[in-house]
Amino acid sequence: MGTLKRILGWVLKAFGALAILLVLFVASIYFFSRQERALAREFLSLVGEKKYSAAFELTSTEMKSIYPLQALKSQFETVQAYTSVSFTSVNITTDKTTLVGRATTADNCVSQVVFVVADGKIATFQIDDACLVEQVST
């Protein structure tokens, strides 16, 4: 019986150690992606406030060349402002961070969002099922 208790003790310690490692791993992902997540939130906040030039400055040089300021303005003119953004998936590689999540408006309209951040700038973004102004319930 004493041997069984010892084995069970080791198994519980191993599971505890694995749980601690998992928590540390998840926490490190959130720690190391905090700037990228803040950048994506700021971008959505700025376009929601119709501050397109400031939002445009958060994008990479490559993105600016293929997606000019006027295109950004025309895309977001009819989109509701997002009041909260949460990320459900973060993928960090040596040259970029990919963020996948949800953006929600004050009317609880939800859009799926994907941001790719490289060198502290937004390299690409995608907003699926954007919440349009005309969708606002009166």
Side-chain angles (χ1 to χ4, degrees), residues 11-92:
V11 169
L12 289 175
K13 288 178 185 177
F15 279 129
L18 285 174
I20 289 170
L21 288 175
L22 181 63
V23 168
L24 289 174
F25 177 72
V26 170
S28 69
I29 288 174
Y30 277 93
F31 176 78
F32 289 115
S33 68
R34 70 189 183 282
Q35 291 174 329
E36 289 85 355
R37 288 182 289 121
L39 182 68
R41 285 187 181 107
E42 181 180 4
F43 178 84
L44 286 177
S45 175
L46 288 169
V47 295
E49 296 169 6
K50 311 295 186 206
K51 296 179 180 177
Y52 302 117
S53 295
F56 189 69
E57 290 305 313
L58 300 178
T59 62
S60 68
T61 304
E62 296 82 17
M63 185 170 168
K64 287 176 185 172
S65 66
I66 60 173
Y67 190 72
L69 178 59
Q70 190 56 41
L72 181 75
K73 285 181 183 180
S74 65
Q75 179 178 356
F76 283 98
E77 282 177 334
T78 59
V79 175
Q80 294 181 48
Y82 292 102
T83 56
S84 70
V85 183
S86 62
F87 296 104
T88 55
S89 173
V90 177
N91 183 9
I92 301 172

Side-chain angles (χ1 to χ4, degrees), residues 40 44 82 84-89 98-104 110-116 125-130:
L44 286 177
Y82 292 102
S84 70
V85 183
S86 62
F87 296 104
T88 55
S89 173
T98 304
L99 307 165
V100 178
R102 299 165 36 119
T104 308
V110 177
S111 299
Q112 300 300 317
V113 295
V114 178
F115 285 89
V116 176
F125 71 90
Q126 175 181 334
I127 300 175
D128 295 334
D129 300 322

